[in-house]
Amino acid sequence: MSQTFSRYAWGVLVWNVLVALWGAYVRATGSGAGCGAHWPTCNGEIIPRSPQVETLIEFTHRATSGLAFLSVLLLLVLALRALPKGHPARFGAALSFFFMITESLVGASLVLFGWTAHNVSAERAVVQMVHLANTYFLLAALALTAWWASGGAPLRLRGQGAVGWALLLGLLALLFLGMSGAVTALGDLLFPVRNTLEALERSLTPGEHFLVRLRVLHPLIAVSVGLYVVFAGFLVAHLRPSEATRRLAQGLAYLYGVQLLAGLVNVWLKAPVWMQILHLFLAYAVWLLFVLLMASSLAQGARRVELGEGQEARVHRGTGGATWKDYLALTKPRVISLLLLTTLLAMLIAAKGWPGTGLFLAVALGGYLMAGAANAINMVVDRDIDARMRRTAKRPTVTQKISSRDALFFAFALALLGFGLLAWAANLLAATLALMGLIWYVLVYTLYLKRRTWQNIVIGGAAGAFPPLVGWAAVTGELNLFAWYLFALIFFWTPVHFWALALMIQDDYRAVGVPMLPVVLGERVTVMQIALYALLTALISVMPLLLGELGLFYLFFSLALNALLLLKALALYRQPERRTAVSLYKYSMLYLALLFVAMAVDRVL
């Protein structure tokens, strides 16, 4: 009986997804008023005679919704009869029935109050968002019921630390994204456009309807939420290791990528009905995968790595006694200083002068918070190898003054404050770019590349190239070719800087098994690669001159800086020893800082 109930539960979930998609078709075709202002009857009749196409579409939706209601009611009856008391699927079935009732009431209100067809009121937009949220809750309850009926363990919500809050934030973010998508789809229906340029222009035009003005925000919200959801998925899979969490996190990442691509196609095709339905289906799928990831990672019996359970118990538990200096050390202030400098100087470059004191200070603080959050998470993930390296042996996570649990709480608090500050004081684009830098550093570099390939710093090092994009976007609200040039400059500079450091501490990397270039291919190959990237950096540094973005002041200054960079790279090539590596490492930091200063001064002049 339990196996039959499980199959039925999954079937009810699939049926309700299809019914919800058909409801979206009703909205997208403007058929919501097909039965007039009558509910539950259709134009005053139980079964409409000689219906129009819109009436047939709306009546079909009501009929399928009625079957969905009965299917959830039967699910609850079967759960109460077939499952023992205390079984989580009984709670899930009851919760599903509750949300099915509220789903019906919200749907009825749309009809009875006339919030259908071409109604453009603010009330319709609000109820549309409530309808979407309730559908999400209904599908989540049905998914959990099916998951528990299939043998999934009940949830353990208490004592989950930062992981629980990270998952809750992910649920809220996806819910907010879905609600913004519902409003955007409503705007597409009521205010169609000929092309993307017209949509953008109307979105930015003062006095336009709020549904039109909100349209431009949805893509940025989708990108920022997607980045966070994928990040949270992989981080949770690392901290709650199991085959289920790993597969769900990977599936979530792939599916969200498809969802973003579908969103772009939807915009490009001017939101045809079939594309809206596909886009919504993918949104439902992403939501359900995240709910199941939550169920798997928060299940009773799941190993909580950062709380000191399992083989890593001693490593992740803290001894206490941390001071504010220890929490400051979690953010790696010395590392952030250069990143922050490129962010702020990029603001001066973009503004061709002073961007404003308020904005300057807000971006400085927001940028520090986001970078500090990334560094704190890095210390949690890498604390096992940090403990065996002389350079990192005194980090507060290694000395256990700060536990992994507290470090993660601290990191998520910083990231939330930093993102909010950048979005409020600057714009959503700047905040999203800062989030991209954080996620690239944690996911791409720390979790995936660092312990797998010597190309870790080449690809993963791109995280350090995001700060100037943040500064530029904060001032201009967009990214042009010059902004991407700044990104490319730091991208190609990073191997020069970091591999010089790797030469200095290669014994540490060798001892912990991190495949840095000197460890894998030796010193000679490393210095050759450094020389190559130094040359590429020098060539890229003069590209703005060809574009006419900079003048003679920058020309002479950059020639002097590049000449010294190449000379130091050549000296390291001739004598690959610690002394020359230290010299290049220290100069590389001064080189980047002065190069950005020269650009800022030249733009002002």
Side-chain angles (χ1 to χ4, degrees):
M1 181 63 182
S2 59
Q3 186 175 6
T4 302
F5 178 79
S6 171
R7 291 175 179 174
Y8 178 71
W10 287 112
V12 172
L13 173 62
V14 172
W15 177 251
N16 276 271
V17 169
L18 295 176
V19 171
L21 292 175
W22 185 252
Y25 180 78
V26 173
R27 174 196 48 74
T29 57
S31 304
C35 288
H38 300 84
W39 192 92
T41 61
C42 185
N43 290 324
E45 301 174 324
I46 297 177
I47 299 178
R49 290 170 291 181
S50 303
Q52 301 294 323
V53 174
E54 292 80 5
T55 303
L56 185 61
I57 293 173
E58 169 64 7
F59 179 75
T60 303
H61 175 55
R62 294 190 183 186
T64 53
S65 298
L67 291 176
F69 186 95
L70 294 176
S71 70
V72 175
L73 175 60
L74 181 58
L75 180 72
L76 176 59
V77 172
L78 292 176
L80 295 175
R81 296 188 59 183
L83 302 176
K85 289 184 178 181
H87 196 289
R90 296 182 67 168
F91 170 74
L95 195 63
S96 300
F97 187 63
F98 170 79
F99 284 122
M100 177 54 76
I101 293 175
T102 55
E103 183 85 345
S104 302
L105 293 176
V106 174
S109 70
L110 287 170
V111 174
L112 295 175
F113 288 96
W115 294 321
T116 56
H118 297 286
N119 182 289
V120 295
S121 65
E123 291 82 2
R124 181 185 182 183
V126 172
V127 176
Q128 200 78 41
M129 290 189 290
V130 172
H131 199 13
L132 185 283
N134 194 87
T135 301
Y136 268 29
F137 291 142
L138 171 62
L139 296 180
L142 290 171
L144 289 174
T145 303
W147 175 269
W148 288 326
S150 302
L155 300 183
R156 176 174 58 178
L157 299 179
R158 292 185 178 181
Q160 292 292 350
V163 168
W165 288 104
L167 289 170
L168 176 61
L169 181 59
L171 285 175
L172 294 177
L174 283 174
L175 185 64
F176 177 72
L177 173 61
M179 293 167 71
S180 74
V183 175
T184 301
L186 187 61
D188 290 334
L189 169 67
L190 301 176
F191 302 96
V193 293
R194 293 187 300 272
N195 51 54
T196 304
L197 180 60
E198 181 187 348
L200 182 61
E201 290 176 347
R202 292 185 62 181
S203 298
L204 301 176
T205 301
E208 273 283 9
H209 195 276
F210 74 96
L211 290 175
V212 176
R213 295 168 64 188
L214 285 174
R215 179 185 279 146
V216 72
L217 293 177
H218 182 65
L220 278 177
I221 295 173
V223 172
S224 58
V225 170
L227 287 171
Y228 174 76
V229 165
V230 171
F231 161 73
F234 279 109
L235 185 62
V236 167
H238 177 77
L239 298 174
R240 299 289 186 275
S242 71
E243 186 65 19
T245 54
R246 183 183 65 82
R247 289 183 176 180
L248 287 168
Q250 290 178 346
L252 186 64
Y254 294 137
L255 190 60
Y256 206 95
V258 175
Q259 167 75 322
L260 288 179
L261 180 61
L264 290 174
V265 174
N266 189 41
V267 172
W268 180 54
L269 296 179
K270 300 184 291 295
V273 173
W274 67 270
M275 196 66 221
Q276 291 185 48
I277 302 304
L278 175 61
H279 195 36
L280 181 61
F281 169 73
L282 291 172
Y284 288 157
V286 168
W287 168 259
L288 292 174
L289 270 186
F290 195 83
V291 168
L292 294 179
L293 174 67
M294 178 196 71
S296 175
S297 57
L298 301 183
Q300 292 182 9
R303 183 160 63 93
R304 301 175 295 181
V305 172
E306 86 287 0
L307 299 181
E309 295 179 355
Q311 296 177 351
E312 302 89 349
R314 185 186 63 81
V315 178
H316 288 278
R317 290 174 183 167
T319 59
T323 66
W324 68 269
K325 292 183 179 180
D326 295 310
Y327 280 97
L328 180 63
L330 273 183
T331 65
K332 302 182 185 177
R334 291 183 180 179
V335 174
I336 290 181
S337 60
L338 187 57
L339 300 177
L340 201 57
L341 182 64
T342 60
T343 304
L344 300 177
L345 288 173
M347 295 179 70
L348 300 177
I349 296 170
K352 296 183 179 180
W354 186 245
T357 303
L359 180 63
F360 189 83
L361 294 177
V363 172
L365 179 57
Y368 188 97
L369 293 173
M370 294 295 285
N375 289 329
I377 297 173
N378 169 267
M379 285 196 188
V380 172
V381 175
D382 278 350
R383 66 186 307 163
D384 58 329
I385 61 175
D386 285 347
R388 293 180 286 156
M389 296 176 62
R390 287 172 294 178
R391 184 174 66 96
T392 56
K394 292 184 179 180
R395 287 178 173 174
T397 47
V398 175
T399 60
Q400 299 188 46
K401 286 186 177 181
I402 301 177
S403 67
S404 289
R405 173 184 178 275
D406 292 343
L408 286 174
F409 267 127
F410 180 66
F412 277 105
L414 292 184
L416 193 59
L417 289 172
F419 185 89
L421 179 59
L422 288 172
W424 171 73
N427 50 63
L428 186 56
L429 177 59
T432 301
L433 289 166
L435 181 62
M436 290 177 69
L438 181 154
I439 291 172
W440 196 277
Y441 181 64
V442 174
L443 287 191
V444 178
Y445 174 67
T446 304
L447 280 174
Y448 187 74
L449 293 175
K450 185 173 182 178
R451 308 191 193 200
R452 285 181 170 87
T453 172
W454 65 268
Q455 290 279 2
N456 47 22
I457 198 60
V458 178
I459 303 171
F466 279 96
L469 295 183
V470 174
W472 190 283
V475 172
T476 66
E478 62 181 7
L479 297 175
N480 64 9
L481 185 60
F482 195 10
W484 287 109
Y485 151 77
L486 298 177
F487 177 94
L489 177 64
I490 297 181
F491 178 82
F492 285 97
W493 164 89
T494 300
V496 179
H497 170 72
F498 197 88
W499 279 336
L501 172 65
L503 283 172
M504 296 158 49
I505 58 173
Q506 58 180 298
D507 291 340
D508 275 353
Y509 285 127
R510 186 175 291 108
V512 297
V514 175
M516 288 299 174
L517 184 57
V519 176
V520 178
L521 298 180
E523 292 183 351
R524 177 52 58 183
V525 173
T526 302
V527 296
M528 290 177 63
Q529 289 286 329
I530 288 175
L532 174 62
Y533 276 96
L535 180 59
L536 288 172
T537 301
L539 292 175
I540 291 174
S541 70
V542 299
M543 285 178 61
L545 294 165
L546 303 178
L547 300 174
E549 295 283 357
L550 296 170
L552 291 178
F553 177 83
Y554 176 76
L555 171 63
F556 293 117
F557 214 90
S558 63
L559 288 177
L561 291 173
N562 283 315
L564 190 53
L565 179 70
L566 294 175
L567 286 174
K568 287 187 175 293
L570 181 61
L572 179 62
Y573 178 79
R574 291 177 174 176
Q575 293 181 306
E577 55 189 34
R578 180 175 177 82
R579 177 180 59 82
T580 51
V582 170
S583 178
L584 176 58
Y585 171 72
K586 291 182 177 180
Y587 174 71
S588 64
M589 293 185 286
L590 182 64
Y591 165 86
L592 188 67
L594 292 179
L595 201 65
F596 269 73
V597 168
M599 282 187 274
V601 172
D602 188 279
R603 295 274 284 186
V604 173
L605 295 177

